Amino acid sequence: MGLFKHVFFFLTLSFLFPAGAQEFLAGADAVLQEPPVLSFMAHDAAKGIRRLKAADYPGGQVTLALTGSCNTYLLSRIKKSMAAASSLRFTLDLSAVTGMEALDREVLSDCINLTAVVISPSMQDINPSAFSGCRALTRLSAPEESAFFSSRQDGLLYSKDGSRLVLVPPGLSGTLKQIEEIGRASCR
């Protein structure tokens, strides 16, 4: 009976306000397409990720929000678990992680289903090869409270004051080529 009421309401809305009904549907679609956020303690994340099934996430995109203390060893285990869930695409949110001051060399390399990363506010150093081979990675972001990094809507990672480009996600290789061309042109 509840479904009938919703359908009747929508049909009535469509008849009385045709443009409004379309906006209502567009808003409903946007809400339905938000990727689910799954929160894990960093030390339990690898085990939890292995239990994920693509059929449970029709959009195929999941945000993993890690909390607690984390280190390179735990990230390498999480990377392996994400690789095993190859039919899903992940945003890795490290903004609530403590004790992580650096992303070491190739710690998340070749993680082909990683699409975005939010770094930890305590992060001080990111090795340029930390994300090598992550072809789907198109967005890096830093929380406001980060003392060393900042980010903008373009998905690139900058120094805190925004004066220096720190890292370009591998999935934005076209952007990197444009930056290289600008650099070459300015050196002529």
Side-chain angles (χ1 to χ4, degrees):
M1 186 68 177
L3 179 62
F4 177 76
K5 286 181 185 177
H6 291 292
V7 170
F8 179 75
F9 172 75
F10 176 73
L11 291 175
T12 303
L13 184 65
S14 299
F15 181 74
L16 296 175
F17 307 100
Q22 290 173 349
E23 290 173 8
F24 174 79
L25 276 181
D29 284 345
V31 169
L32 292 175
Q33 291 175 2
E34 284 293 316
V37 176
L38 305 176
S39 187
F40 292 104
M41 291 294 292
H43 65 273
D44 291 331
K47 193 183 316 176
I49 295 166
R50 276 188 247 123
R51 293 185 183 134
L52 300 179
K53 307 249 184 297
D56 296 336
Y57 306 98
Q61 180 75 32
V62 177
T63 297
L64 301 174
L66 302 186
T67 59
S69 182
C70 192
N71 57 37
T72 300
Y73 172 73
L74 291 175
L75 273 184
S76 66
R77 289 184 57 212
I78 291 166
K79 173 180 119 172
K80 288 177 184 172
S81 295
M82 286 192 298
S86 60
S87 56
L88 292 171
R89 297 172 70 80
F90 295 98
T91 293
L92 184 59
D93 184 348
L94 303 172
S95 63
V97 165
T98 58
M100 178 165 272
E101 295 180 352
L103 283 178
D104 295 335
R105 186 173 180 261
E106 299 180 354
V107 67
L108 289 167
S109 66
D110 299 317
C111 195
I112 60 172
N113 51 349
L114 183 61
T115 60
V117 175
V118 180
I119 65 168
S120 169
S122 60
M123 191 76 57
Q124 297 176 21
D125 183 48
I126 300 175
N127 188 295
S129 68
F131 302 108
S132 65
C134 297
R135 298 184 308 259
L137 182 60
T138 58
R139 176 162 302 284
L140 294 171
S141 56
E144 287 290 321
E145 55 274 8
S146 174
F148 295 92
F149 301 103
S150 66
S151 55
R152 301 178 189 150
Q153 292 296 322
D154 57 11
L156 308 177
L157 199 60
Y158 297 89
S159 59
K160 181 62 178 182
D161 65 2
S163 65
R164 188 173 54 89
L165 177 62
V166 176
L167 197 58
V168 176
L172 293 179
S173 60
T175 302
L176 183 57
K177 288 177 183 159
Q178 290 173 349
I179 292 169
E180 288 172 3
E181 290 171 13
I182 292 169
R184 280 191 208 111
S186 65
C187 292
R188 291 182 192 163

